[in-house]
Amino acid sequence: MNCKMKEKKLVRMLHRGFACILCSGILLCTGASSAAAGGKKDVQLKTAEPVPMPEDGSLPAPPPAQIEQDVSRPSYFHDLPSGDPVEFKEVWGYVMVDREYEYDPSMPITDLCYFGVEVDSYGDLEPIPNVSKIKGFKGRTHLVAACSSRSLTHFVLDPKYGVRQNIIDSLAKASRQYDGIQIDYELVPARDAKNFRTFLADIRAKIGKEKWLTVCVPARVKDIKDDIYNYKTLEPLVDRIIIMAYDQHWSTSEPGAVAGMDWCRRIADYSVTVIPQKKLVMGLPFYGRTWQDTSYGKAWYFSGVNRIMNENDMHVIQREDGVPNFTFKTEVTVTGYFDDTYSLVERCRMYQTKDIDRIAFWRIGQEDPSFWPWLKVKK
């Protein structure tokens, strides 16, 4: 279906908060699919067709101007930081399987985390990604092991189900082509807190001291009673703790920064009191999020369809093989928060004031490309 977007953009930058409010005319089309967001796009210009000469001998009318649209060019005044680049002892970066091309050897990365390997429905590890696909990297490599189901995480961690030892043995075997294993189990059930700690201890024993063992944990600003991811209890079991200091606001929350500066400051203030400096790695986001004040893309009761048609003065339908459908235009407000070079450098400098000298970025490929010259590894 041919859906033509009627655009009416209002962009407002809120000083350094990087909030964008965008109002656009949206055409809702039944059965229409939305375009997937992507990274840099190749610029393609239409080839101009030959212009016919008028029979009266006059000059032909000039063709319409062809304007090259570079979608990678910042759409706003892209102010950059002042001063010197930020330096850290370790810089960790995440690369996704099948997006290895987004890594560039010029990036100042000391530790590359390959995301990753999941547990399948049968309690086995999925095929281990081949680290040789990441070209030109000379530093340490870490295989990220994840489990994206709360119930499956329970069956993996609890020894009585017989899955746990198989996963540990498989991770140990996989570690042969890596410098370390990183555990990113973000859905550990409350009753499995002890099982999670012994799981880490057993992996450590299996892979030995020559391999690194690291763990990802959610952000905390204080001690929480019976916390599964208690920093103090996990610290002795691993070589590094990567704090995921992002998703302060998420897709279903109220709009707000992915990682607000004051929130990150409080995370840092707490973390440095419970994790030794050598083991603390502070995570930063490269991505942004958007929210809409109104969304029509969902399933509806008949009464709901009737209501939105009335609210939008839509009183005519079409039928396709007898099935009713409709199309109407409406206006929505989109609010977006994201990070660019300015905000990333500001956050890095804030962490430096807390004596944090190890950072990690989720993830390579999502960043403002002008950020990399502002980041260096300490020699």
Side-chain angles (χ1 to χ4, degrees), residues 30 80 116 129 160-161 195 212 237 311 317 365 372 374:
T30 54
L80 293 174
K160 71 181 181 182
Y161 297 107
N195 288 334
W212 287 40
L237 304 173
E311 288 175 350
I317 65 163
W372 294 114
W374 289 89

Side-chain angles (χ1 to χ4, degrees), residues 47-346:
T47 304
E49 296 181 358
V51 179
M53 295 295 293
E55 294 181 358
D56 62 3
S58 62
L59 292 175
Q66 305 239 349
I67 301 175
E68 182 175 347
Q69 295 183 359
D70 180 4
V71 297
S72 67
R73 180 177 57 83
S75 58
Y76 61 99
F77 176 70
H78 198 228
D79 49 337
L80 293 174
S82 58
D84 296 325
V86 290
E87 294 187 354
F88 290 89
K89 187 170 291 185
E90 292 175 10
V91 178
W92 297 55
Y94 289 81
V95 171
M96 294 284 289
V97 168
D98 295 329
R99 303 192 74 87
E100 295 85 358
Y101 59 87
E102 293 181 322
Y103 167 74
D104 187 280
S106 66
M107 296 173 179
I109 303 294
T110 61
D111 292 78
L112 195 145
C113 302
Y114 204 3
F115 194 98
V117 60
E118 283 265 2
V119 180
D120 67 20
S121 301
Y122 304 99
D124 296 317
L125 284 187
E126 294 178 345
I128 305 301
N130 190 341
V131 72
S132 66
K133 290 184 178 181
I134 303 175
K135 305 299 183 183
F137 182 68
K138 305 298 183 183
R140 291 179 293 264
T141 57
H142 307 262
L143 174 64
V144 182
C147 192
S148 56
S149 160
R150 189 176 299 276
S151 58
L152 188 55
T153 300
H154 168 67
F155 287 108
V156 168
L157 295 179
D158 194 323
K160 71 181 181 182
Y161 297 107
V163 175
R164 172 174 164 146
Q165 192 58 50
N166 176 51
I167 296 298
I168 292 172
D169 292 342
S170 298
L171 286 174
K173 183 178 179 180
S175 71
R176 296 171 187 170
Q177 63 170 304
Y178 290 88
D179 295 292
I181 297 293
Q182 183 170 118
I183 302 301
D184 185 16
Y185 281 26
E186 301 180 27
L187 298 172
V188 177
R191 290 190 300 175
D192 285 306
K194 182 178 179 181
N195 288 334
F196 183 53
R197 294 193 295 271
T198 59
F199 179 67
L200 293 173
D202 288 351
I203 294 174
R204 160 58 75 207
K206 190 72 176 180
I207 66 176
K209 291 288 186 180
E210 66 274 10
K211 298 290 185 178
W212 287 40
L213 177 62
T214 58
V215 64
C216 295
V217 297
R220 298 285 189 258
V221 297
K222 62 181 180 180
D223 287 331
I224 298 176
K225 184 180 179 180
D226 300 323
D227 189 3
I228 299 164
Y229 302 100
N230 183 281
Y231 295 177
K232 292 179 183 178
T233 58
L234 295 180
E235 177 270 314
L237 304 173
V238 297
D239 298 293
R240 298 288 188 274
I241 294 179
I242 291 81
I243 298 177
M244 297 179 288
Y246 36 81
D247 277 346
Q248 178 186 5
H249 297 90
W250 56 97
S251 57
T252 57
S253 76
E254 291 296 314
V258 174
M261 202 68 69
D262 181 64
W263 183 69
C264 291
R265 188 175 292 108
R266 289 187 288 128
I267 295 168
D269 287 338
Y270 168 70
S271 300
V272 297
T273 67
V274 291
I275 303 174
Q277 184 190 43
K278 184 178 180 180
K279 292 189 176 184
L280 173 58
V281 182
M282 192 63 69
L284 292 85
F286 274 155
Y287 61 95
R289 289 192 185 278
T290 57
W291 292 260
Q292 295 179 192
D293 68 335
T294 304
S295 175
Y296 294 99
K298 55 180 138 181
W300 295 88
Y301 283 49
F302 176 85
S303 58
V305 172
N306 193 60
R307 175 178 57 80
I308 64 171
M309 290 179 68
N310 279 321
E311 288 175 350
N312 290 277
D313 199 26
M314 182 70 224
H315 306 296
V316 177
I317 65 163
Q318 295 80 42
R319 290 188 182 272
E320 182 177 320
D321 292 334
V323 179
N325 63 88
F326 61 90
T327 299
F328 65 80
K329 295 180 181 180
T330 188
E331 188 175 83
V332 300
T333 299
V334 178
T335 302
Y337 284 79
F338 62 101
D339 276 292
D340 61 5
T341 296
Y342 189 99
S343 63
L344 287 167
V345 171
E346 287 293 295

